[in-house]
Amino acid sequence: MNSHGANVFEIAKKEGIKIEDIRDFSSNINPLGPSKKALESLKDNLNLLSTYPDVDYLDLREAISTYASCKRENIVLGLGSTEILRDTIYYFAPKTAMILSPCYSEYERELRKISSHIFEYNLEEKNDFKINLDQLINTINEKNIDFLIFANPNNPTGTILKKSEVERVLRETEAKVLVDETYIEFTDMETYSSSGLTKSYDNLVVVRGTSKFFALPGVRLGYGLTSNEGLLKFFKDKEVLWQINSVAEICGKVMFSDEAYIKKVYDFIRSRRENFYKELAGIENLRAYESFGNFILVKILKGPNASKLREKLMKKGLVVRNCETFKNLNESYFRFCILDDDANERLIENLREIYQEVK
């Protein structure tokens, strides 16, 4: 398994299972698929693949501006959110940086490339992996942290900060703050998204992608929001012509305004997430933690550890994420995302069978 989901081809070969019969609960991708309006628009405009995209991506930027409540001139485009994360870290080149632990591994990897001194803010099980905001702010100031980077909601814990809490960090510290909102659409954006704060705070960068909520990892479209003039100039200077391909441009212009689709995905994930908590609460020896993403972190209290669980489930074509490779977690933790109803029921049935009556 790589760090961004399972290798379904390898699993299919090893377990003798057809690829189409594998349900990958480790990928965190919306199971309803892309916006049908976006796919129809792509189908209707295939002729545009024989022409160059708009070099300024005006329509795409306008669609993002409306969707994310930001100024069009404050948008940067990239080949997925990770490219923007990498380039932002490179630009600010912080001497001291803070990440959450556990968190997405790419943050630490990119910070180490520029020899940044990394401090970890430990998300502790005894606090249900939640952030103590006063403690976080005090630590940033005491350690003279130049740069704070975190996902909101955080992967794999599902931890989240409200927009008002992020604003406190911006007001009460000198740190540059990068908020990775890869999973923000799966929760109440009015309460939790920091995108609107970019109009008022030039020490804030918000990064989003289209792989998870919009289920389009193949188009490699990410975008960043900031009013930091130096960073905007840096991205402008490094731009290459036609950086975003026509498929991403065509789909992006439509899906960000497909309100019915956005509501459908949000409602689906919210209702299935609530059902998972209800079902998991009835399984002895498992404890699920509150999540604001489309995934849930679970602790095994007794029974097969996460590695053995993964092996058992793989034989049935179900793939979960063993979380022992995350810092601050171990082989007692696994994570799964929300898929279609049939797959969800299969997972619950198997978890119930494995952990309900372990002595």
Side-chain angles (χ1 to χ4, degrees), residues 43-187:
K43 180 181 176 181
D44 293 341
N45 290 281
L46 288 176
N47 60 300
L48 293 179
L49 299 185
S50 63
T51 64
Y52 288 107
D54 170 13
V55 69
D56 294 315
Y57 303 102
L58 295 178
D59 290 342
L60 177 58
R61 291 177 186 275
E62 188 62 38
I64 294 173
S65 173
T66 301
Y67 175 66
S69 301
C70 66
K71 296 180 179 180
R72 190 174 64 185
E73 59 269 27
N74 289 349
I75 298 170
V76 297
L77 302 174
L79 299 175
S81 59
T82 301
E83 180 189 43
I84 299 172
L85 289 167
R86 179 198 66 196
D87 290 344
T88 300
I89 290 171
Y90 177 83
Y91 170 75
F92 286 122
K95 292 182 179 179
T96 57
M98 177 172 285
I99 60 175
L100 305 183
S101 180
C103 70
Y104 181 44
S105 61
E106 292 295 329
Y107 307 151
E108 180 177 354
R109 183 175 293 114
E110 294 301 329
L111 286 165
R112 292 206 179 282
K113 288 180 183 178
I114 59 166
S115 301
S116 182
H117 184 63
I118 301 170
F119 291 87
E120 296 180 4
Y121 179 90
N122 290 324
L123 300 174
E124 298 179 322
E125 180 193 357
K126 66 181 182 180
N127 298 324
D128 294 333
F129 298 104
K130 294 178 180 178
I131 295 171
N132 181 318
L133 188 62
D134 290 332
Q135 182 186 63
L136 176 68
I137 290 172
N138 289 338
T139 304
I140 290 172
N141 290 328
E142 289 172 2
K143 302 293 185 182
N144 294 315
I145 301 298
D146 298 324
F147 189 79
L148 169 66
I149 179 172
F150 67 100
N152 207 39
N154 182 54
N155 174 26
T157 61
T159 307
I160 200 166
L161 288 179
K162 295 179 180 178
K163 173 174 63 176
S164 58
E165 293 174 317
V166 175
E167 188 169 18
R168 270 197 63 195
V169 178
L170 295 167
R171 286 200 320 262
E172 298 178 25
T173 77
E174 297 296 321
K176 299 291 190 300
V177 179
L178 193 157
V179 183
D180 179 356
E181 291 193 343
T182 294
Y183 300 101
I184 198 68
E185 284 103 343
F186 293 111
T187 191

